[in-house]
Every structure is written in structure tokens, then in C-alpha cells.
PDB file of all heavy atoms in Angstrom:
ATOM      1  N   GLY A   1       4.069   1.978   8.029  1.00 97.00           N
ATOM      2  CA  GLY A   1       3.513   0.706   7.789  1.00 97.00           C
ATOM      3  C   GLY A   1       2.673   0.640   6.368  1.00 97.00           C
ATOM      4  O   GLY A   1       2.162   1.675   5.972  1.00 97.00           O
ATOM      5  N   ILE A   2       2.709  -0.470   5.754  1.00 96.00           N
ATOM      6  CA  ILE A   2       1.783  -0.807   4.679  1.00 96.00           C
ATOM      7  C   ILE A   2       0.705  -1.588   5.180  1.00 96.00           C
ATOM      8  O   ILE A   2       0.924  -2.711   5.781  1.00 96.00           O
ATOM      9  CB  ILE A   2       2.477  -1.571   3.554  1.00 96.00           C
ATOM     10  CG1 ILE A   2       3.710  -0.708   3.019  1.00 96.00           C
ATOM     11  CG2 ILE A   2       1.513  -2.001   2.491  1.00 96.00           C
ATOM     12  CD1 ILE A   2       3.286   0.566   2.297  1.00 96.00           C
ATOM     13  N   HIS A   3      -0.533  -1.259   5.037  1.00 94.00           N
ATOM     14  CA  HIS A   3      -1.684  -1.926   5.662  1.00 94.00           C
ATOM     15  C   HIS A   3      -2.440  -2.563   4.460  1.00 94.00           C
ATOM     16  O   HIS A   3      -3.066  -1.833   3.523  1.00 94.00           O
ATOM     17  CB  HIS A   3      -2.623  -0.946   6.342  1.00 94.00           C
ATOM     18  CG  HIS A   3      -1.918  -0.424   7.561  1.00 94.00           C
ATOM     19  ND1 HIS A   3      -2.004  -0.975   8.830  1.00 94.00           N
ATOM     20  CD2 HIS A   3      -1.062   0.727   7.719  1.00 94.00           C
ATOM     21  CE1 HIS A   3      -1.291  -0.238   9.645  1.00 94.00           C
ATOM     22  NE2 HIS A   3      -0.730   0.716   9.036  1.00 94.00           N
ATOM     23  N   SER A   4      -2.460  -3.956   4.383  1.00 88.00           N
ATOM     24  CA  SER A   4      -3.014  -4.599   3.234  1.00 88.00           C
ATOM     25  C   SER A   4      -4.475  -5.105   3.480  1.00 88.00           C
ATOM     26  O   SER A   4      -4.713  -5.496   4.561  1.00 88.00           O
ATOM     27  CB  SER A   4      -2.124  -5.779   2.924  1.00 88.00           C
ATOM     28  OG  SER A   4      -0.777  -5.409   2.660  1.00 88.00           O
ATOM     29  N   PRO A   5      -5.241  -5.179   2.433  1.00 85.00           N
ATOM     30  CA  PRO A   5      -6.507  -5.891   2.546  1.00 85.00           C
ATOM     31  C   PRO A   5      -6.271  -7.354   3.000  1.00 85.00           C
ATOM     32  O   PRO A   5      -5.311  -7.846   2.581  1.00 85.00           O
ATOM     33  CB  PRO A   5      -7.102  -5.844   1.170  1.00 85.00           C
ATOM     34  CG  PRO A   5      -6.475  -4.644   0.519  1.00 85.00           C
ATOM     35  CD  PRO A   5      -5.128  -4.560   1.123  1.00 85.00           C
ATOM     36  N   TRP A   6      -7.116  -7.890   3.876  1.00 78.00           N
ATOM     37  CA  TRP A   6      -6.865  -9.152   4.517  1.00 78.00           C
ATOM     38  C   TRP A   6      -7.694 -10.241   3.969  1.00 78.00           C
ATOM     39  O   TRP A   6      -8.808 -10.046   3.601  1.00 78.00           O
ATOM     40  CB  TRP A   6      -7.036  -9.014   6.026  1.00 78.00           C
ATOM     41  CG  TRP A   6      -6.678 -10.189   6.855  1.00 78.00           C
ATOM     42  CD1 TRP A   6      -7.449 -10.907   7.698  1.00 78.00           C
ATOM     43  CD2 TRP A   6      -5.334 -10.714   7.001  1.00 78.00           C
ATOM     44  NE1 TRP A   6      -6.739 -11.830   8.346  1.00 78.00           N
ATOM     45  CE2 TRP A   6      -5.430 -11.770   7.928  1.00 78.00           C
ATOM     46  CE3 TRP A   6      -4.119 -10.449   6.401  1.00 78.00           C
ATOM     47  CZ2 TRP A   6      -4.388 -12.558   8.299  1.00 78.00           C
ATOM     48  CZ3 TRP A   6      -2.989 -11.189   6.823  1.00 78.00           C
ATOM     49  CH2 TRP A   6      -3.191 -12.253   7.747  1.00 78.00           C
ATOM     50  N   LYS A   7      -7.151 -11.471   3.820  1.00 73.00           N
ATOM     51  CA  LYS A   7      -7.773 -12.646   3.406  1.00 73.00           C
ATOM     52  C   LYS A   7      -8.423 -12.501   1.993  1.00 73.00           C
ATOM     53  O   LYS A   7      -9.670 -12.806   1.841  1.00 73.00           O
ATOM     54  CB  LYS A   7      -8.849 -13.028   4.447  1.00 73.00           C
ATOM     55  CG  LYS A   7      -8.301 -13.534   5.784  1.00 73.00           C
ATOM     56  CD  LYS A   7      -7.526 -14.793   5.683  1.00 73.00           C
ATOM     57  CE  LYS A   7      -7.088 -15.274   7.083  1.00 73.00           C
ATOM     58  NZ  LYS A   7      -6.217 -16.509   6.943  1.00 73.00           N
ATOM     59  N   ALA A   8      -7.617 -12.137   1.060  1.00 71.00           N
ATOM     60  CA  ALA A   8      -8.188 -11.941  -0.252  1.00 71.00           C
ATOM     61  C   ALA A   8      -8.313 -13.160  -0.946  1.00 71.00           C
ATOM     62  O   ALA A   8      -7.598 -14.114  -0.923  1.00 71.00           O
ATOM     63  CB  ALA A   8      -7.161 -11.030  -0.981  1.00 71.00           C
ATOM     64  N   GLY A   9      -9.415 -13.269  -1.788  1.00 77.00           N
ATOM     65  CA  GLY A   9      -9.653 -14.321  -2.647  1.00 77.00           C
ATOM     66  C   GLY A   9      -8.947 -13.982  -3.937  1.00 77.00           C
ATOM     67  O   GLY A   9      -7.726 -14.377  -4.218  1.00 77.00           O
ATOM     68  N   SER A  10      -9.511 -13.164  -4.808  1.00 84.00           N
ATOM     69  CA  SER A  10      -8.850 -12.702  -5.925  1.00 84.00           C
ATOM     70  C   SER A  10      -8.263 -11.347  -5.618  1.00 84.00           C
ATOM     71  O   SER A  10      -8.782 -10.607  -4.632  1.00 84.00           O
ATOM     72  CB  SER A  10      -9.814 -12.509  -7.149  1.00 84.00           C
ATOM     73  OG  SER A  10     -10.908 -11.586  -6.786  1.00 84.00           O
ATOM     74  N   VAL A  11      -7.235 -10.941  -6.283  1.00 90.00           N
ATOM     75  CA  VAL A  11      -6.602  -9.595  -6.005  1.00 90.00           C
ATOM     76  C   VAL A  11      -6.867  -8.680  -7.148  1.00 90.00           C
ATOM     77  O   VAL A  11      -6.437  -8.889  -8.237  1.00 90.00           O
ATOM     78  CB  VAL A  11      -5.062  -9.743  -5.774  1.00 90.00           C
ATOM     79  CG1 VAL A  11      -4.370  -8.402  -5.692  1.00 90.00           C
ATOM     80  CG2 VAL A  11      -4.741 -10.602  -4.577  1.00 90.00           C
ATOM     81  N   GLY A  12      -7.678  -7.638  -6.946  1.00 91.00           N
ATOM     82  CA  GLY A  12      -8.186  -6.911  -8.022  1.00 91.00           C
ATOM     83  C   GLY A  12      -7.448  -5.515  -8.088  1.00 91.00           C
ATOM     84  O   GLY A  12      -6.637  -5.186  -7.201  1.00 91.00           O
ATOM     85  N   PRO A  13      -7.802  -4.740  -9.132  1.00 93.00           N
ATOM     86  CA  PRO A  13      -7.097  -3.419  -9.326  1.00 93.00           C
ATOM     87  C   PRO A  13      -7.317  -2.426  -8.296  1.00 93.00           C
ATOM     88  O   PRO A  13      -6.391  -1.614  -7.980  1.00 93.00           O
ATOM     89  CB  PRO A  13      -7.760  -2.923 -10.600  1.00 93.00           C
ATOM     90  CG  PRO A  13      -8.969  -3.700 -10.833  1.00 93.00           C
ATOM     91  CD  PRO A  13      -8.770  -5.066 -10.173  1.00 93.00           C
ATOM     92  N   GLU A  14      -8.526  -2.515  -7.544  1.00 93.00           N
ATOM     93  CA  GLU A  14      -8.669  -1.503  -6.384  1.00 93.00           C
ATOM     94  C   GLU A  14      -7.678  -1.793  -5.261  1.00 93.00           C
ATOM     95  O   GLU A  14      -7.082  -0.798  -4.718  1.00 93.00           O
ATOM     96  CB  GLU A  14     -10.058  -1.598  -5.896  1.00 93.00           C
ATOM     97  CG  GLU A  14     -11.124  -1.075  -6.867  1.00 93.00           C
ATOM     98  CD  GLU A  14     -12.496  -1.102  -6.256  1.00 93.00           C
ATOM     99  OE1 GLU A  14     -12.585  -1.393  -5.160  1.00 93.00           O
ATOM    100  OE2 GLU A  14     -13.376  -0.673  -6.985  1.00 93.00           O
ATOM    101  N   SER A  15      -7.519  -3.090  -4.955  1.00 93.00           N
ATOM    102  CA  SER A  15      -6.525  -3.417  -3.811  1.00 93.00           C
ATOM    103  C   SER A  15      -5.083  -3.142  -4.182  1.00 93.00           C
ATOM    104  O   SER A  15      -4.315  -2.538  -3.414  1.00 93.00           O
ATOM    105  CB  SER A  15      -6.629  -4.880  -3.480  1.00 93.00           C
ATOM    106  OG  SER A  15      -7.868  -5.184  -3.001  1.00 93.00           O
ATOM    107  N   ILE A  16      -4.766  -3.419  -5.491  1.00 95.00           N
ATOM    108  CA  ILE A  16      -3.380  -3.035  -5.974  1.00 95.00           C
ATOM    109  C   ILE A  16      -3.158  -1.502  -5.934  1.00 95.00           C
ATOM    110  O   ILE A  16      -2.165  -1.068  -5.487  1.00 95.00           O
ATOM    111  CB  ILE A  16      -3.188  -3.614  -7.381  1.00 95.00           C
ATOM    112  CG1 ILE A  16      -3.187  -5.104  -7.313  1.00 95.00           C
ATOM    113  CG2 ILE A  16      -1.883  -3.101  -7.980  1.00 95.00           C
ATOM    114  CD1 ILE A  16      -3.266  -5.835  -8.819  1.00 95.00           C
ATOM    115  N   ALA A  17      -4.151  -0.772  -6.392  1.00 96.00           N
ATOM    116  CA  ALA A  17      -4.054   0.660  -6.367  1.00 96.00           C
ATOM    117  C   ALA A  17      -3.923   1.198  -5.014  1.00 96.00           C
ATOM    118  O   ALA A  17      -3.128   2.187  -4.793  1.00 96.00           O
ATOM    119  CB  ALA A  17      -5.120   1.366  -7.117  1.00 96.00           C
ATOM    120  N   ASP A  18      -4.635   0.677  -3.988  1.00 96.00           N
ATOM    121  CA  ASP A  18      -4.458   1.048  -2.658  1.00 96.00           C
ATOM    122  C   ASP A  18      -3.121   0.841  -2.117  1.00 96.00           C
ATOM    123  O   ASP A  18      -2.508   1.838  -1.627  1.00 96.00           O
ATOM    124  CB  ASP A  18      -5.445   0.214  -1.823  1.00 96.00           C
ATOM    125  CG  ASP A  18      -5.397   0.545  -0.358  1.00 96.00           C
ATOM    126  OD1 ASP A  18      -4.911   1.614   0.093  1.00 96.00           O
ATOM    127  OD2 ASP A  18      -5.836  -0.366   0.459  1.00 96.00           O
ATOM    128  N   VAL A  19      -2.461  -0.296  -2.321  1.00 96.00           N
ATOM    129  CA  VAL A  19      -1.130  -0.610  -1.858  1.00 96.00           C
ATOM    130  C   VAL A  19      -0.131   0.301  -2.546  1.00 96.00           C
ATOM    131  O   VAL A  19       0.871   0.724  -2.001  1.00 96.00           O
ATOM    132  CB  VAL A  19      -0.914  -2.067  -1.880  1.00 96.00           C
ATOM    133  CG1 VAL A  19       0.601  -2.308  -1.426  1.00 96.00           C
ATOM    134  CG2 VAL A  19      -1.817  -2.782  -0.958  1.00 96.00           C
ATOM    135  N   VAL A  20      -0.263   0.473  -3.910  1.00 97.00           N
ATOM    136  CA  VAL A  20       0.626   1.362  -4.626  1.00 97.00           C
ATOM    137  C   VAL A  20       0.628   2.736  -4.030  1.00 97.00           C
ATOM    138  O   VAL A  20       1.700   3.344  -3.884  1.00 97.00           O
ATOM    139  CB  VAL A  20       0.175   1.400  -6.179  1.00 97.00           C
ATOM    140  CG1 VAL A  20       0.918   2.526  -6.926  1.00 97.00           C
ATOM    141  CG2 VAL A  20       0.541   0.037  -6.840  1.00 97.00           C
ATOM    142  N   GLY A  21      -0.532   3.217  -3.751  1.00 98.00           N
ATOM    143  CA  GLY A  21      -0.619   4.578  -3.216  1.00 98.00           C
ATOM    144  C   GLY A  21       0.100   4.610  -1.844  1.00 98.00           C
ATOM    145  O   GLY A  21       0.859   5.601  -1.551  1.00 98.00           O
ATOM    146  N   GLN A  22      -0.025   3.659  -0.984  1.00 97.00           N
ATOM    147  CA  GLN A  22       0.674   3.560   0.318  1.00 97.00           C
ATOM    148  C   GLN A  22       2.226   3.556   0.089  1.00 97.00           C
ATOM    149  O   GLN A  22       2.976   4.162   0.809  1.00 97.00           O
ATOM    150  CB  GLN A  22       0.320   2.279   1.084  1.00 97.00           C
ATOM    151  CG  GLN A  22      -1.204   2.449   1.554  1.00 97.00           C
ATOM    152  CD  GLN A  22      -1.500   1.195   2.389  1.00 97.00           C
ATOM    153  OE1 GLN A  22      -0.840   0.991   3.523  1.00 97.00           O
ATOM    154  NE2 GLN A  22      -2.512   0.414   2.041  1.00 97.00           N
ATOM    155  N   LEU A  23       2.659   2.723  -0.950  1.00 98.00           N
ATOM    156  CA  LEU A  23       4.093   2.614  -1.286  1.00 98.00           C
ATOM    157  C   LEU A  23       4.715   3.931  -1.706  1.00 98.00           C
ATOM    158  O   LEU A  23       5.820   4.367  -1.265  1.00 98.00           O
ATOM    159  CB  LEU A  23       4.356   1.587  -2.255  1.00 98.00           C
ATOM    160  CG  LEU A  23       4.179   0.137  -1.832  1.00 98.00           C
ATOM    161  CD1 LEU A  23       4.136  -0.839  -2.950  1.00 98.00           C
ATOM    162  CD2 LEU A  23       5.322  -0.278  -0.879  1.00 98.00           C
ATOM    163  N   GLU A  24       3.988   4.665  -2.605  1.00 98.00           N
ATOM    164  CA  GLU A  24       4.385   5.928  -3.097  1.00 98.00           C
ATOM    165  C   GLU A  24       4.491   6.988  -1.952  1.00 98.00           C
ATOM    166  O   GLU A  24       5.492   7.795  -1.878  1.00 98.00           O
ATOM    167  CB  GLU A  24       3.543   6.346  -4.219  1.00 98.00           C
ATOM    168  CG  GLU A  24       3.694   5.485  -5.552  1.00 98.00           C
ATOM    169  CD  GLU A  24       2.775   5.960  -6.669  1.00 98.00           C
ATOM    170  OE1 GLU A  24       1.729   6.529  -6.322  1.00 98.00           O
ATOM    171  OE2 GLU A  24       3.130   5.660  -7.846  1.00 98.00           O
ATOM    172  N   ARG A  25       3.507   6.993  -1.092  1.00 98.00           N
ATOM    173  CA  ARG A  25       3.568   7.985   0.056  1.00 98.00           C
ATOM    174  C   ARG A  25       4.631   7.619   1.036  1.00 98.00           C
ATOM    175  O   ARG A  25       5.356   8.469   1.573  1.00 98.00           O
ATOM    176  CB  ARG A  25       2.197   7.960   0.702  1.00 98.00           C
ATOM    177  CG  ARG A  25       1.068   8.561  -0.124  1.00 98.00           C
ATOM    178  CD  ARG A  25      -0.209   8.785   0.718  1.00 98.00           C
ATOM    179  NE  ARG A  25      -0.827   7.554   1.219  1.00 98.00           N
ATOM    180  CZ  ARG A  25      -1.678   6.822   0.479  1.00 98.00           C
ATOM    181  NH1 ARG A  25      -2.004   7.193  -0.745  1.00 98.00           N
ATOM    182  NH2 ARG A  25      -2.245   5.730   0.986  1.00 98.00           N
ATOM    183  N   MET A  26       4.864   6.326   1.144  1.00 98.00           N
ATOM    184  CA  MET A  26       5.963   5.903   2.053  1.00 98.00           C
ATOM    185  C   MET A  26       7.310   6.389   1.487  1.00 98.00           C
ATOM    186  O   MET A  26       8.222   6.799   2.205  1.00 98.00           O
ATOM    187  CB  MET A  26       5.983   4.250   2.201  1.00 98.00           C
ATOM    188  CG  MET A  26       7.091   3.841   3.106  1.00 98.00           C
ATOM    189  SD  MET A  26       7.040   2.066   3.361  1.00 98.00           S
ATOM    190  CE  MET A  26       5.677   1.962   4.585  1.00 98.00           C
ATOM    191  N   ALA A  27       7.506   6.264   0.192  1.00 98.00           N
ATOM    192  CA  ALA A  27       8.714   6.690  -0.441  1.00 98.00           C
ATOM    193  C   ALA A  27       8.982   8.173  -0.124  1.00 98.00           C
ATOM    194  O   ALA A  27      10.167   8.585   0.072  1.00 98.00           O
ATOM    195  CB  ALA A  27       8.786   6.437  -1.884  1.00 98.00           C
ATOM    196  N   GLU A  28       7.953   8.993  -0.238  1.00 98.00           N
ATOM    197  CA  GLU A  28       8.046  10.421   0.058  1.00 98.00           C
ATOM    198  C   GLU A  28       8.432  10.632   1.495  1.00 98.00           C
ATOM    199  O   GLU A  28       9.303  11.524   1.912  1.00 98.00           O
ATOM    200  CB  GLU A  28       6.725  11.101  -0.231  1.00 98.00           C
ATOM    201  CG  GLU A  28       6.287  11.086  -1.795  1.00 98.00           C
ATOM    202  CD  GLU A  28       5.043  11.757  -2.000  1.00 98.00           C
ATOM    203  OE1 GLU A  28       4.359  12.139  -1.045  1.00 98.00           O
ATOM    204  OE2 GLU A  28       4.655  11.722  -3.184  1.00 98.00           O
ATOM    205  N   THR A  29       7.856   9.873   2.425  1.00 98.00           N
ATOM    206  CA  THR A  29       8.157  10.023   3.839  1.00 98.00           C
ATOM    207  C   THR A  29       9.551   9.552   4.161  1.00 98.00           C
ATOM    208  O   THR A  29      10.248  10.175   5.047  1.00 98.00           O
ATOM    209  CB  THR A  29       7.201   9.210   4.622  1.00 98.00           C
ATOM    210  OG1 THR A  29       5.869   9.512   4.325  1.00 98.00           O
ATOM    211  CG2 THR A  29       7.441   9.392   6.216  1.00 98.00           C
ATOM    212  N   LEU A  30      10.117   8.478   3.421  1.00 98.00           N
ATOM    213  CA  LEU A  30      11.326   7.978   3.752  1.00 98.00           C
ATOM    214  C   LEU A  30      12.486   8.923   3.216  1.00 98.00           C
ATOM    215  O   LEU A  30      13.587   8.855   3.681  1.00 98.00           O
ATOM    216  CB  LEU A  30      11.544   6.598   3.082  1.00 98.00           C
ATOM    217  CG  LEU A  30      10.775   5.492   3.666  1.00 98.00           C
ATOM    218  CD1 LEU A  30      10.736   4.260   2.816  1.00 98.00           C
ATOM    219  CD2 LEU A  30      11.397   5.133   5.037  1.00 98.00           C
ATOM    220  N   ALA A  31      12.181   9.709   2.159  1.00 98.00           N
ATOM    221  CA  ALA A  31      13.261  10.546   1.475  1.00 98.00           C
ATOM    222  C   ALA A  31      14.060  11.364   2.457  1.00 98.00           C
ATOM    223  O   ALA A  31      15.289  11.270   2.392  1.00 98.00           O
ATOM    224  CB  ALA A  31      12.569  11.383   0.390  1.00 98.00           C
ATOM    225  N   PRO A  32      13.494  12.096   3.397  1.00 98.00           N
ATOM    226  CA  PRO A  32      14.386  12.913   4.270  1.00 98.00           C
ATOM    227  C   PRO A  32      15.122  12.043   5.255  1.00 98.00           C
ATOM    228  O   PRO A  32      16.202  12.412   5.704  1.00 98.00           O
ATOM    229  CB  PRO A  32      13.365  13.829   5.000  1.00 98.00           C
ATOM    230  CG  PRO A  32      11.981  13.162   4.876  1.00 98.00           C
ATOM    231  CD  PRO A  32      12.062  12.464   3.528  1.00 98.00           C
ATOM    232  N   ILE A  33      14.693  10.844   5.533  1.00 98.00           N
ATOM    233  CA  ILE A  33      15.396   9.994   6.384  1.00 98.00           C
ATOM    234  C   ILE A  33      16.590   9.383   5.750  1.00 98.00           C
ATOM    235  O   ILE A  33      17.784   9.275   6.166  1.00 98.00           O
ATOM    236  CB  ILE A  33      14.522   8.773   6.956  1.00 98.00           C
ATOM    237  CG1 ILE A  33      13.298   9.396   7.682  1.00 98.00           C
ATOM    238  CG2 ILE A  33      15.315   7.885   7.866  1.00 98.00           C
ATOM    239  CD1 ILE A  33      12.214   8.409   8.027  1.00 98.00           C
TER     240      ILE A  33
END
């Protein structure tokens, strides 16, 4: 799963970096599958 910050007003660099990190880790987990 990707777990996103909820009910955002503005979307800042910290939130984006958080989700980017989750996506990159997910790509690594998906590779053997």
C-alpha cells in the first residue's frame, strides 16, 4: 500500500518526498513478483 497524508490543503515537498519514497520502495518489493 501507499499511505498518503489525508485532507491536504496545500501539497508541499515533504508530503511529495514521503510518497516518492513509498513508491520507490514499492518498486523494489514488486521486482521479484
Side-chain angles (χ1 to χ4, degrees):
I2 299 294
H3 298 267
S4 306
W6 188 239
K7 293 293 184 185
S10 60
V11 174
E14 290 185 1
S15 297
I16 294 170
D18 176 22
V19 175
V20 166
Q22 293 184 60
L23 287 167
E24 290 179 334
R25 291 190 295 274
M26 179 177 283
E28 294 174 359
T29 304
L30 287 167
I33 304 171

